[in-house]
Amino acid sequence: MRLNNNKNLNPKKQISFYFDGTKYQGYEGDTLASALLANNIHLIGRSFKYHRPRGIISAGCEEPNGIVQLEQDEFTEPNRRATEVVLYNGLVAKSQNRWPSVNFDFGEINDLLSPFFPAGFYYKTFMWPPKFWKTYEHFIRHAAGLGVSPKKEDPHKYEHYHYHCDVLIVGSGISGLYAAKIAASEKLQVLLVEQESETGGSILSANNSNNKINGQSQNEWKKEILEELHSYKNVKIITSTTLFAYMHYNYLLGIQDIDPSRGNKKNNSIRQVLWKIRAKKVILATGSIERPITFNNNDRPGIMLAGSVSKYLNGYGISLGKKIIIFTNNDSAYQTAIDYHHHNIKVSAIIDIRNEIDGDLPSLAQSLGIKIYSGYVVSDTSGRKKITSVTIRKFEEKDSNKKNTEILECDLLCMSGGWSPTVHLFTQSRGKLKYREEDSCFIPDQPHQQTISVGACNGIFDLKSILEDTRKSVRDFLDCKSNDGKIEIYDAEEINFGKQQNSWLVSSKDKISKSKMFVDFQNDVTAKDIKIALSEGFQSIEHVKRYTTNGMATDQGKTSNVNALGIISELTGVDISNLGTTTFRLPYTPVTFGAMAGRYVKEFFDIERTTPIHEWHLDNDALFEDVGQWKRAWYYPKNNETFNEAVNREVKATRDSIGILDASTLGKIDIKGRDVSEFLNRVYTNAWSKLEIGKCRYGIMLGDDGMVIDDGVTTRLGEHHYLMTTTTGNAASVMGKLEDWLQTEWPELEVYLTSVTEQFGTISLNGPNSRKIVESLFPKQNFSSDSFPHMSFKELEIDQVKCLVMRISFTGEICYEINVPSSYALSVWNKCIELGKNHNITPYGTEAMHVLRAEKGYIIVGQETDGSVTPVDLDMDWIVSKKKYDFIGKRALYRSDTSRKDRKQLVGLLTTDPSIVLEEGVQLVEVETALPMPMVGHVTSSYYSPNLGRSIALALVKSGLNKKGTKLIVPTSNKSIEVEITDPVFIDPKNERLLA
Amino acid sequence: MLLINCPYCGEREQEEFSCGGEAHIERPKNPPELSDDQWADYLFLRQNIKGLQFERWNHSFGCRKWFNVARNTATDEILAVYHIDEKPPQLESNDPITPCGEPKIGSGNFSTTKK
């Protein structure tokens, strides 16, 4: 029922929303929870395991029950806390975990069967026989979970926002606002972050007529401070932003909801912003969370936290009941009774567990004529879909029976089991907690970073002390002793609070084993489950948590963790301080994947690199392959060719006449300096000092463990000037490795490395007719093998554009690699195509490149090698210098393992049936035996060779170099394939074509 | 995320850097004279300290310089940053205390002080 003092709401702006298909009215400024409650809807959903009816219990992010499926289709979001969803016109929400409806739910049968679903039910029931898990899993997964994940793509945008400040203040309650005022007047850059849509924290739930600050109502006080804060240029205030992670060096992450009305607009506006904040100092003013009390049937709709009931009353102007009962173990809940009294609604009874009640608030309540049952407890409740009555008895009479109990009718039960400081961020920052026995609070002890906690999150609950402590701590923390008189001193009336009395379990007529005393509402964990876990030998709090799943739901146990500790303590007799707490992990509240991904989705997920000739490939129907971040042309199908047809055509044309390849992606490192030759001697296995200017040399690079990490051709451009090429995928890592050696081990060498990969486009012309093309391109140059032999280099010009031309080959054919400055690469490429028309010039992609090099037995690092292959294994001893005293990887080549004779070695393989193309990666055996068969090697490359008219393969085989001519078997599931070990060079072993 | 004070560029976010493992492992000058065990020691054996550890870091998305960092691996505090050719600094707390009173070896989930 809505009263008429709703200070947070704009009373004129009525808006409508839908819950489970029915249209309701709310006000702008409402949350979904307040709007539902104002419409007298208490039944919001069904519980996780037992499908018990559940309603809203709180008014904040701690809410375990009031979670809904928000919006529909691509906009849908499961498990949204109704207490946090800001109401907007046309909002659509549905209840969760019920079928067919929240009022009539078939799953409710689980509640009757609950004796059969104790803690560990799934672990115990579905572990045997092991094979059947796959059958069970399907059904269990279907039954699990509350809401439904969206199936469609999220149409919204998300942003990341970086922010740096001197002081970050988390929470805008009384302490937060006061701290902001102090920090602001110190001229510091201040960021004040509030998780709710409006600033104020506890002020939003405060009664205007008491708890005044300097004689002002809290609302007036807030208005004044906010006005002042807004006048400062160095203060930024953001709301609807939850800081969910506190990491090293005061790095905090926050998630900000930008557009709560997204359901209506359905445009692609920015929905959430992920804030990445680095603050010099952090002031935590995160408040506290009220604890429920654990008694039988404490989960019925209409049983709520007392402080939240006050918030709905004072903040939203909603009266939640006519017959109200309060159940408490401390003074704070009396305020709720007093608040209701101010609206002329009388609370029927306050059930107080304590015998001695001496605080100021209880005295006030008593003077207002509210009935107080001192030393009493609520031991049970009734009412299926909403509470109808409570059973009370004297606390001291442990065994309740009909004689000593009394039944009181009610439609709202407000409970308060004390308050837990919100220390989540503090512990995430690795601050140490201490336990305060008298009100069972974990409070901040020793901070680990530049941070302080003020107000309720520091375990200070009365207004006068909060104001005093905040002023003192913040001024000390910010070191503002110099200008003492500047900051206004705030004061409030002193209120005496009576002592809290903790009782973690309120027994009922049922034994624990038959009771339904809920601890974790969202995961349906009861006191019974905790008892079972303890009796089954789980001792560590972390183990009890995992076995019972207490605190593991989407609310992360904000209302249940301390109660669970208390129950364990009560059942085991171990002090809570000795139990420790479970870890407060991030995120504090759930974070959407969208916010984490930000803009880094689709084409922005990773960098896409294209060559300067990319456009031509697109125009000529190339299909692309991802090689690292590069898009490389894979093959160019013509006239509906299949993959195999196209690749075979490209391979054949290259050997028959001429093929052209875009090799621009090869890594290129320009190396200059006095000591380059010495440097190359150290990083490559072969010798470099004697390489003539204008000559090229192939090199293999090892790690210091002796394993091949890269290969490529390096050209000596001048006395102290080389151009190194690396494999496409390793360009960056090779560059990094070279820099590492130079900076850390050989600072005495004068060597300068410059990555020039993207400065050049590389056009590779291969095949017997390639010479004809370069002769036309560079008419002044003689391209005969005498004047431009294999493994040599010339700097040539086309239309005044300087090109670096190397005669090197990765196909075994005559080949010229033309390195053209990138911006001219496409025009030179076009020229080559034009000139090659009469020779059937054929562009080929990476697949044909693979086949061509495999025909010639050339390796690819990363395909023939896998980080466990030495150059000796590759039968490349010839490239390993015996004369050099040392190079990277040399010593490791004669460790006991690397010099083993039975290492896997690179060989060729030919299938007996030439039409069979082996699968890459298949294992090789000598004889087929029962499983497991002893394996002697595996296939690293396998293709159909159109030039040979048969399949070919490369493989690593144990002692393979000595086994040429012997047969091996590839066992597959339906047949055995016979292969013969051969030399890996299938075409032109005498290099006649290459050197022609 | 750490905030690392690159000796060449100043404070930058951790995402600009990459860690190169334990620092002060010099590549032997005479590999051919070393036994397999000695070479394996250089190649493979690294410390994994809970507490003060000296590490190599590279400002890979910045100046690309290598430098050394003294880090408490239990708390992630960076205690010193120094050039690659400098000796490790003498730090007062060679055995930094873990923040939550966890055991010195292994993990611990106690966020309260154990009595």
Side-chain angles (χ1 to χ4, degrees):
Chain A
M1 187 181 75
R2 188 88 64 172
L3 305 170
N4 49 6
N5 73 327
N6 30 359
K7 68 188 174 206
N8 291 334
L9 307 180
N10 181 349
K12 284 165 204 154
K13 264 248 162 161
Q14 216 179 29
I15 48 179
S16 48
F17 68 101
Y18 299 84
F19 180 68
D20 276 347
T22 308
K23 189 173 182 178
Y24 297 98
Q25 300 298 318
Y27 289 103
E28 231 173 46
D30 261 329
T31 62
L32 176 57
S34 69
L36 285 166
L37 290 169
N39 284 287
N40 206 21
I41 298 167
H42 278 265
L43 177 57
I44 303 292
R46 291 285 177 153
S47 76
F48 183 60
K49 242 160 97 179
Y50 307 125
H51 290 252
R52 285 170 67 95
R54 289 284 167 83
I56 292 156
I57 77 161
S58 77
C61 72
E62 69 269 34
E63 178 60 40
N65 283 340
I67 54 178
V68 297
Q69 185 87 29
L70 190 63
E71 294 301 337
Q72 322 173 68
D73 302 326
E74 68 265 45
F75 297 96
T76 198
E77 248 189 292
N79 305 340
R80 276 300 299 262
R81 291 171 297 283
T83 49
E84 286 190 307
V85 174
V86 176
L87 198 70
Y88 51 85
N89 201 26
L91 178 149
V92 177
K94 277 193 204 130
S95 54
Q96 295 187 156
N97 206 34
R98 81 290 186 273
W99 187 82
S101 80
V102 72
N103 275 303
F104 180 76
D105 174 24
F106 271 120
E108 203 169 327
I109 193 157
N110 283 6
D111 196 19
L112 301 172
L113 298 173
S114 63
F116 304 108
F117 293 105
F121 168 73
Y122 290 98
Y123 303 130
K124 290 167 185 161
T125 312
F126 297 107
M127 64 181 291
W128 200 258
K131 258 191 191 167
F132 275 34
W133 170 247
K134 281 184 179 159
T135 319
Y136 300 139
E137 189 184 10
H138 176 73
F139 293 99
I140 293 172
R141 296 255 180 253
H142 187 72
L146 291 163
V148 183
S149 307
K151 301 266 184 308
K152 293 179 184 166
E153 193 179 309
D154 187 344
H156 291 282
K157 279 184 187 157
Y158 300 83
E159 282 284 6
H160 288 183
Y161 193 80
H162 295 261
Y163 198 82
H164 296 256
C165 58
D166 296 323
V167 186
L168 168 66
I169 298 163
V170 190
S172 68
I174 292 167
S175 303
L177 288 172
Y178 195 8
K181 184 184 154 102
I182 296 170
S185 64
E186 289 292 310
K187 304 212 163 45
L188 297 164
Q189 285 294 330
V190 179
L191 178 65
L192 177 63
V193 181
E194 169 55 48
Q195 72 179 9
E196 295 195 16
S197 58
E198 199 186 334
T199 54
S202 68
I203 298 172
L204 298 177
S205 43
N207 181 331
N208 261 331
S209 49
N210 58 6
N211 290 324
K212 293 189 172 176
I213 301 174
N214 279 13
Q216 274 179 314
S217 81
Q218 293 186 11
N219 257 306
E220 286 164 26
W221 180 83
K222 170 186 145 183
K223 215 174 136 194
E224 216 174 88
I225 284 215
L226 274 179
E227 257 168 41
E228 187 186 335
L229 289 177
H230 285 307
S231 73
Y232 288 112
K233 281 197 178 119
N234 53 328
V235 178
K236 187 177 174 73
I237 302 174
I238 51 172
T239 56
S240 298
T241 307
T242 306
L243 291 176
F244 62 85
Y246 191 149
M247 300 192 278
H248 308 116
Y249 292 81
N250 279 349
Y251 186 67
L252 288 94
L253 297 177
I255 186 158
Q256 181 179 30
D257 276 313
I258 293 290
D259 183 12
S261 61
R262 64 199 187 82
N264 259 357
K265 288 184 181 168
K266 300 209 168 175
N267 56 15
N268 61 353
S269 60
I270 292 166
R271 180 182 157 214
Q272 286 179 324
V273 176
L274 183 75
W275 283 68
K276 301 176 170 187
I277 304 163
R278 186 77 79 172
K280 291 200 180 109
K281 294 187 172 185
V282 175
I283 296 172
L284 298 171
T286 48
S288 57
I289 292 172
E290 198 166 19
R291 290 193 290 264
I293 303 179
T294 313
F295 52 93
N296 203 19
N297 291 309
N298 60 344
D299 65 326
R300 300 193 192 282
I303 303 179
M304 299 175 69
L305 295 168
S308 302
V309 171
S310 274
K311 184 168 180 178
Y312 287 117
L313 180 73
N314 295 324
Y316 298 96
I318 299 165
S319 164
L320 292 172
K322 291 189 180 109
K323 285 177 280 179
I324 303 167
I325 290 177
I326 292 173
F327 178 27
T328 186
N329 68 354
N330 68 88
D331 280 5
S332 72
Y334 284 82
Q335 183 66 50
T336 307
I338 295 162
D339 291 347
Y340 266 90
H341 185 84
H342 278 286
H343 292 277
N344 300 319
I345 300 167
K346 200 160 180 182
V347 166
S348 324
I350 299 178
I351 318 294
D352 195 323
I353 210 163
R354 302 171 296 179
N355 281 323
E356 279 174 38
I357 303 172
D358 51 8
D360 289 349
L361 291 176
S363 309
L364 179 59
Q366 201 148 26
S367 70
L368 296 173
I370 299 167
K371 183 155 176 56
I372 298 170
Y373 288 82
S374 173
Y376 272 77
V377 290
V378 172
S379 63
D380 207 344
T381 67
S382 305
R384 190 69 206 160
K385 287 167 192 166
K386 172 104 190 268
I387 189 166
T388 54
S389 70
V390 298
T391 308
I392 65 166
R393 65 163 169 84
K394 276 215 140 112
F395 177 50
E396 278 149 14
E397 291 164 23
K398 292 276 178 199
D399 294 314
S400 43
N401 52 54
K402 271 198 176 159
K403 279 179 201 159
N404 61 11
T405 58
E406 196 177 325
I407 290 176
L408 304 179
E409 280 191 14
C410 69
D411 60 359
L412 180 71
L413 176 63
C414 311
M415 56 182 169
S416 177
W419 295 77
S420 297
T422 310
V423 293
H424 300 67
L425 290 179
F426 178 77
T427 55
Q428 281 179 22
S429 81
R430 309 199 70 176
K432 207 191 288 180
L433 296 177
K434 65 185 172 204
Y435 183 68
R436 189 166 70 193
E437 187 71 43
E438 63 260 33
D439 55 359
S440 50
C441 283
F442 285 96
I443 54 173
D445 188 5
Q446 196 61 39
H448 179 59
Q449 303 194 27
Q450 281 289 317
T451 186
I452 55 164
S453 299
V454 293
C457 74
N458 196 27
I460 300 171
F461 296 117
D462 77 288
L463 185 56
K464 191 178 168 69
S465 313
I466 285 175
L467 291 165
E468 274 170 19
D469 176 73
T470 303
R471 179 183 161 83
K472 189 180 175 306
S473 326
V474 172
R475 284 171 50 76
D476 284 351
F477 184 54
L478 301 180
D479 206 19
C480 36
K481 290 179 190 85
S482 52
N483 46 358
D484 219 14
K486 255 175 73 179
I487 308 288
E488 209 170 326
I489 296 174
Y490 292 117
D491 200 7
E493 200 188 328
E494 191 163 338
I495 299 173
N496 286 316
F497 283 91
K499 213 172 159 273
Q500 178 173 320
Q501 181 180 339
N502 297 315
S503 171
W504 301 108
L505 278 170
V506 178
S507 59
S508 66
K509 65 180 196 305
D510 295 333
K511 288 180 180 161
I512 287 190
S513 57
K514 285 194 173 168
S515 66
K516 297 240 171 58
M517 304 161 83
F518 285 91
V519 184
D520 181 326
F521 293 94
Q522 199 171 112
N523 261 355
D524 265 0
V525 180
T526 62
K528 178 180 89 171
D529 296 321
I530 293 176
K531 195 179 174 197
I532 289 173
L534 292 170
S535 68
E536 290 184 1
F538 292 93
Q539 289 177 342
S540 157
I541 172 72
E542 294 281 3
H543 292 156
V544 174
K545 167 184 167 174
R546 279 156 185 79
Y547 192 57
T548 60
T549 70
N550 193 82
M552 289 170 69
T554 64
D555 65 337
Q556 290 282 290
K558 289 185 182 64
T559 53
S560 68
N561 283 340
V562 175
N563 281 351
L565 282 172
I567 290 166
I568 294 169
S569 166
E570 199 157 302
L571 292 174
T572 59
V574 179
D575 278 354
I576 291 185
S577 57
N578 285 336
L579 285 172
T581 65
T582 52
T583 311
F584 292 83
R585 290 203 175 77
L586 53 93
Y588 174 63
T589 52
V591 178
T592 60
F593 283 116
M596 284 188 244
R599 289 213 162 185
Y600 304 105
V601 292
K602 296 184 179 169
E603 66 265 43
F604 299 118
F605 179 68
D606 195 9
I607 292 163
E608 245 177 44
R609 300 171 81 184
T610 55
T611 75
I613 306 161
H614 191 72
E615 243 173 84
W616 190 92
H617 306 317
L618 287 173
D619 292 344
N620 287 271
D621 307 324
L623 291 169
F624 290 89
E625 183 181 26
D626 290 333
V627 183
Q629 292 168 329
W630 288 99
K631 293 274 166 211
R632 293 198 72 175
W634 187 19
Y635 63 102
Y636 304 80
K638 267 187 188 172
N639 315 321
N640 301 321
E641 273 176 332
T642 62
F643 169 79
N644 285 332
E645 287 164 355
V647 172
N648 289 344
R649 172 179 53 75
E650 292 171 15
V651 170
K652 195 107 183 43
T654 304
R655 292 237 188 267
D656 290 347
S657 177
I658 177 169
I660 181 168
L661 172 78
D662 178 1
S664 307
T665 62
L666 281 182
K668 298 179 257 312
I669 302 172
D670 181 277
I671 312 179
K672 280 181 185 158
R674 190 187 60 209
D675 303 312
V676 181
S677 304
E678 170 61 20
F679 176 63
L680 294 175
N681 274 337
R682 296 186 189 183
V683 298
Y684 276 130
T685 59
N686 45 354
W688 292 79
S689 311
K690 287 179 186 158
L691 183 68
E692 289 167 42
I693 294 170
K695 291 282 193 249
C696 314
R697 184 164 286 172
Y698 174 73
I700 278 204
M701 202 179 282
L702 309 183
D704 234 343
D705 57 358
M707 304 304 160
V708 175
I709 58 169
D710 197 57
D711 70 342
V713 169
T714 296
T715 304
R716 190 165 196 174
L717 304 175
E719 177 65 26
H720 301 302
H721 189 190
Y722 290 76
L723 182 69
M724 175 188 282
T725 61
T726 73
T727 52
T728 297
N730 285 340
S733 68
V734 167
M735 180 77 180
K737 204 82 203 131
L738 299 180
E739 287 179 322
D740 188 352
W741 290 124
L742 275 175
Q743 286 181 37
T744 64
E745 292 291 344
W746 311 319
E748 73 279 7
L749 296 185
E750 188 197 90
V751 175
Y752 305 101
L753 305 167
T754 312
S755 167
V756 292
T757 303
E758 297 194 349
Q759 272 60 38
F760 291 101
T762 305
I763 300 163
S764 180
L765 294 163
N766 287 269
N769 285 326
S770 57
R771 187 174 280 139
K772 290 178 183 154
I773 310 295
V774 285
E775 279 168 351
S776 318
L777 269 180
F778 308 101
K780 288 179 192 160
Q781 175 65 36
N782 180 348
F783 282 92
S784 73
S785 282
D786 291 336
S787 49
F788 197 160
H790 182 59
M791 297 308 271
S792 63
F793 149 85
K794 303 268 184 236
E795 188 176 302
L796 304 172
E797 268 186 20
I798 308 176
D799 301 335
Q800 291 177 318
V801 176
K802 278 185 183 165
C803 301
L804 308 179
V805 183
M806 286 95 172
R807 186 174 165 191
I808 52 179
S809 179
F810 193 44
T811 54
E813 297 298 319
I814 300 172
C815 165
Y816 299 92
E817 270 190 22
I818 309 169
N819 291 285
V820 195
S822 289
S823 45
Y824 299 103
L826 183 56
S827 68
V828 175
W829 174 279
N830 279 323
K831 211 161 192 167
C832 294
I833 298 281
E834 190 58 38
L835 292 167
K837 263 187 183 164
N838 297 334
H839 304 290
N840 184 32
I841 190 166
T842 303
Y844 67 92
T846 49
E847 188 63 25
M849 175 188 85
H850 277 101
V851 179
L852 287 159
R853 63 90 204 177
E855 287 179 339
K856 181 68 180 165
Y858 291 151
I859 62 150
I860 286 186
V861 172
Q863 185 153 352
E864 271 62 57
T865 71
D866 58 4
S868 71
V869 179
T870 71
V872 184
D873 299 338
L874 296 171
D875 198 15
M876 292 169 91
D877 305 48
W878 55 268
I879 203 169
V880 180
S881 165
K882 309 288 178 294
K883 285 182 195 159
K884 288 197 285 184
Y885 177 73
D886 186 20
F887 57 81
I888 299 295
K890 174 162 183 169
R891 175 59 186 86
L893 291 179
Y894 50 94
R895 290 178 62 236
S896 57
D897 184 59
T898 41
S899 51
R900 260 190 305 124
K901 291 285 171 269
D902 62 342
R903 289 179 64 82
K904 284 187 178 180
Q905 295 158 337
L906 182 72
V907 293
L909 284 186
L910 289 175
T911 48
T912 307
D913 175 352
S915 68
I916 297 176
V917 180
L918 297 171
E919 268 188 65
E920 285 176 356
V922 292
Q923 296 291 329
L924 299 159
V925 300
E926 277 172 338
V927 279
E928 279 190 286
T929 65
L931 295 174
M933 291 183 222
M935 294 171 288
V936 295
H938 64 274
V939 172
T940 58
S941 294
S942 174
Y943 309 97
Y944 175 76
S945 159
N947 293 301
L948 297 167
R950 58 154 302 136
S951 68
I952 54 168
L954 299 174
L956 287 166
V957 176
K958 278 185 186 172
S959 316
L961 295 174
N962 296 323
K963 287 191 181 162
K964 285 179 186 168
T966 53
K967 305 250 159 125
L968 293 176
I969 292 164
V970 176
T972 68
S973 53
N974 51 9
K975 62 181 171 187
S976 310
I977 304 164
E978 193 185 59
V979 296
E980 187 185 324
I981 300 179
T982 66
D983 196 81
V985 184
F986 301 101
I987 277 186
D988 191 27
K990 290 183 182 155
N991 288 339
E992 282 157 352
R993 299 175 67 95
L994 177 69
L995 303 174
Chain B
M1 191 159 56
L2 301 177
L3 192 62
I4 298 173
N5 191 7
C6 169
Y8 304 92
C9 306
E11 279 189 342
R12 295 290 190 278
E13 300 286 339
Q14 184 188 340
E15 63 186 12
E16 292 186 16
F17 298 85
S18 39
C19 182
E22 195 183 333
H24 304 295
I25 293 174
E26 201 182 335
R27 189 173 188 273
K29 295 273 183 286
N30 55 344
E33 280 121 64
L34 299 183
S35 69
D36 272 9
D37 280 353
Q38 286 170 316
W39 189 249
D41 186 39
Y42 156 69
L43 261 189
F44 303 122
L45 298 185
R46 296 293 182 271
Q47 301 197 64
N48 185 17
I49 298 163
K50 183 169 185 176
L52 177 63
Q53 177 150 305
F54 299 103
E55 295 170 335
R56 284 159 19 104
W57 283 78
N58 182 230
H59 195 184
S60 38
F61 292 96
C63 64
R64 292 193 67 81
K65 286 282 193 187
W66 284 92
F67 57 93
N68 291 328
V69 169
R71 184 172 68 100
N72 179 350
T73 60
T75 63
D76 267 328
E77 274 169 300
I78 293 176
L79 304 165
V81 171
Y82 53 103
H83 288 110
I84 197 76
D85 55 351
E86 284 180 75
K87 289 213 159 61
Q90 281 298 316
L91 293 167
E92 275 183 21
S93 63
N94 265 15
D95 186 16
I97 318 150
T98 51
C100 303
E102 312 154 5
K104 283 187 180 155
I105 294 171
S107 72
N109 280 317
F110 291 93
S111 37
T112 50
T113 321
K114 274 218 120 185
K115 279 171 191 160

